[in-house]
Amino acid sequence: MSDDMLRGQVFDRLNARLKLEGPEPLALALSGGGDSRALLALVMEWARPRGRRVIALTVDHRLNPDSAQWTERAGQAARDEGAEWQALSWDDAKGGSGVQARARLARHALLAEAARKAGACVILMGHTRDDVAENRWMQADGSNLGQLREWSPSPVWPEGRGIMLMRPLLGIGRQALRDLLTAQGKDWIDDPANDNPAYLRIRARQALAGQESAPDIEDLTPWPWQAGDWGRHGVLAFDRAALAQASGRVLAAALLSASGTVRPPRGDRLARVQAQVCGHEPFSAVLCGARIEASADQVLIAREAGEMVRSGLPPLHLRRQVPAVWDGRFEITAPENGWTVLPAKGLSSRLSASDRAALDALPPFVRASVPVLRREGSETVVAAFTTAEVTPLAPLRFCLHAPAGMGETTQEAGLFAALHSEKGSTALFSV
């Protein structure tokens, strides 16, 4: 692939997904390695004539004695390209078993928090076609890594709420990017850990060395959606026949979104529930902290109240006009100090007649899991939805998992609308 073809391919992907102008910044994950260094150069070439700000974010995992030096080199590269730059650090870094998985989640949390603070909704990542092939190799070896997609939600929650990851290099091989950097006289960092076969990814890389990596295949799984008004209370509703035709990935995304949790369901358990969905008999099931209630033609998924209480969910003390996330499912902003968020389970009798009537309108299995507010220092309990500003996160989180062309937020402009213009409105809950 020539440099012009490479550049054209990346620019086409950026043009298709991102706003061509506007004050909002783009975040870019910059390790300083060859892939992210090439991504920085290409993105800055695209962004400069459009006036788009780019904030490069470098995470120091503190797992290598040279990491501080690498971080500074990444910062210098960002400055050389004309990008803004911010250094982040993993303060709880330690080695041992599973260090790469822990470092990955810590990195994503730091990136998401920094992007949100800067006002960015998109983080650009430097994954390549080779990473896609390595992921498939690791999945065949038993790893539970998910598919690398060009446009996907941040894997951390709730830090990553509303943050999308874009990977515009998935159709390009790693060597072509290094050739581009070499032709431009730019260097990059080579982490010696990339040659350590103790890590599964490196074993995959070594096993695939010299092979032509397969191109990324966009997932076009049908994406059933039937939210209705219950969506504002954290309920996801589906036509059963449509959900039966979808893949297990759709069901897994619905379970995580409705429960507010982050650990995907085990494959065997997910397969059993998916098989039940594909049947015709009504059933109930609990998985991933979510409850599934299926009738002959509809499937409802919401938080399992018993599991929520058993997990030891602590009370959430609200501060005036400071948004806070409760149970990973609702962002709640109180108009004044002195309110604590609790589940309705065991407290519904203290609600007013109108609040109880609103609660009784919900499916019975949902009622105990919705948030209520208790006045600190008193026995007063009110429905959160009538006293505070409550933004349900489950419908938005589920929509952000939609494959390209299947959801409402496949572009940056739509993402800003979903997160800001429509916040608090009924737009997310229309069928």
Side-chain angles (χ1 to χ4, degrees):
M1 179 185 296
S2 70
D3 289 352
D4 286 343
M5 290 178 60
L6 186 156
R7 185 178 289 105
Q9 184 178 131
V10 174
F11 286 9
D12 285 347
R13 294 198 174 199
L14 295 174
N15 288 334
R17 297 283 190 186
L18 303 180
K19 295 174 66 176
L20 301 185
E21 58 183 17
E24 303 89 358
L26 294 167
L28 186 147
L30 178 65
S31 69
D35 301 340
S36 68
R37 181 67 183 86
L39 176 66
L40 174 67
L42 290 163
V43 168
M44 289 307 300
E45 187 176 344
W46 176 87
R48 273 190 292 269
R50 293 167 176 81
R52 291 299 308 266
R53 291 171 53 212
V54 177
I55 302 176
L57 303 172
T58 301
V59 177
D60 183 350
H61 296 92
R62 299 187 176 183
L63 295 173
N64 187 290
D66 294 326
S67 64
Q69 178 186 347
W70 295 344
T71 298
E72 180 51 40
R73 283 182 61 185
Q76 187 59 54
R79 291 187 287 269
D80 290 344
E81 294 288 353
E84 300 172 43
W85 179 71
Q86 184 178 349
L88 311 169
S89 64
W90 184 23
D91 295 330
D92 297 324
K94 61 180 180 179
S97 176
V99 62
Q100 286 200 323
R102 286 185 283 109
R104 175 180 175 273
L105 289 178
R107 176 170 65 253
H108 276 293
L110 289 166
L111 292 171
E113 289 172 343
R116 176 185 299 281
K117 186 175 181 179
C121 288
V122 176
I123 302 175
L124 297 160
M125 311 286 288
H127 295 97
T128 69
R129 191 169 63 191
D130 297 271
D131 291 299
V132 174
E134 290 162 9
N135 264 34
R136 290 173 181 162
W137 189 95
M138 289 188 286
Q139 288 168 344
D141 193 62
S143 172
N144 61 356
L145 282 172
Q147 179 185 359
L148 284 176
R149 296 162 56 200
E150 181 181 296
W151 184 257
S152 63
S154 168
V156 291
W157 193 262
E159 302 95 335
R161 63 192 186 279
I163 300 293
M164 295 298 290
L165 308 182
M166 183 182 177
R167 302 177 175 95
L169 305 182
L170 286 187
I172 300 170
R174 192 173 287 138
Q175 187 57 51
L177 296 171
R178 283 152 177 75
D179 292 343
L180 175 70
L181 290 174
T182 300
Q184 296 179 352
K186 298 172 181 177
D187 64 356
W188 61 90
I189 298 166
D190 281 318
D191 185 346
N194 289 335
D195 296 320
N196 187 349
Y199 300 125
L200 180 60
R201 179 168 294 278
I202 306 311
R203 296 199 296 275
R205 187 168 301 177
Q206 293 172 345
L208 295 169
Q211 298 183 25
E212 181 68 21
S213 54
D216 181 52
I217 300 174
E218 187 66 48
D219 185 355
L220 295 180
T221 295
W223 204 250
W225 180 241
Q226 195 187 59
D229 286 341
W230 288 338
R232 68 182 67 257
H233 296 280
V235 183
L236 299 179
F238 303 93
D239 175 85
R240 183 166 178 173
L243 187 59
Q245 293 175 5
S247 73
R249 189 174 71 79
V250 174
L251 179 59
L255 292 168
L256 288 174
S257 301
S259 67
T261 55
V262 295
R263 188 184 296 274
R266 275 177 33 189
D268 55 342
R269 295 180 180 178
L270 181 65
R272 285 198 293 269
V273 175
Q274 182 72 19
Q276 287 182 284
V277 171
C278 293
H280 302 285
E281 296 298 321
F283 74 91
S284 299
V286 176
L287 185 60
C288 259
R291 186 173 186 85
I292 306 157
E293 290 286 341
S295 65
D297 57 3
Q298 188 180 54
V299 176
L300 301 180
I301 304 178
R303 184 69 155 121
E304 166 57 29
E307 193 278 339
M308 175 177 61
V309 173
R310 287 191 296 273
S311 67
L313 179 68
L316 176 64
H317 302 281
L318 299 177
R319 291 191 294 154
R320 178 179 178 273
Q321 297 300 329
V322 177
V325 175
W326 180 75
D327 195 36
R329 298 183 296 129
F330 298 96
E331 186 176 88
I332 303 176
T333 306
E336 57 187 357
N337 293 328
W339 290 105
T340 298
V341 189
L342 297 165
K345 185 177 177 64
L347 296 174
S348 58
S349 62
R350 301 189 196 177
L351 296 171
S352 67
S354 60
D355 281 350
R356 284 199 303 273
L359 198 64
D360 289 343
L362 298 175
F365 78 101
V366 175
R367 298 168 189 166
S369 67
V370 300
V372 297
L373 303 183
R374 185 177 65 194
R375 172 70 76 177
E376 295 175 4
S378 79
E379 295 301 310
T380 300
V381 176
V382 298
F385 294 89
T386 60
T387 305
E389 179 185 345
V390 181
T391 301
L393 300 178
L396 175 61
R397 186 181 183 186
F398 180 73
C399 285
L400 295 184
H401 278 85
M406 298 290 176
E408 298 296 326
T409 52
T410 58
Q411 296 175 319
E412 183 187 14
L415 183 62
F416 275 103
L419 294 176
H420 302 290
S421 304
E422 299 172 357
K423 190 171 183 179
S425 77
T426 60
L428 282 174
F429 314 118
S430 59
V431 176

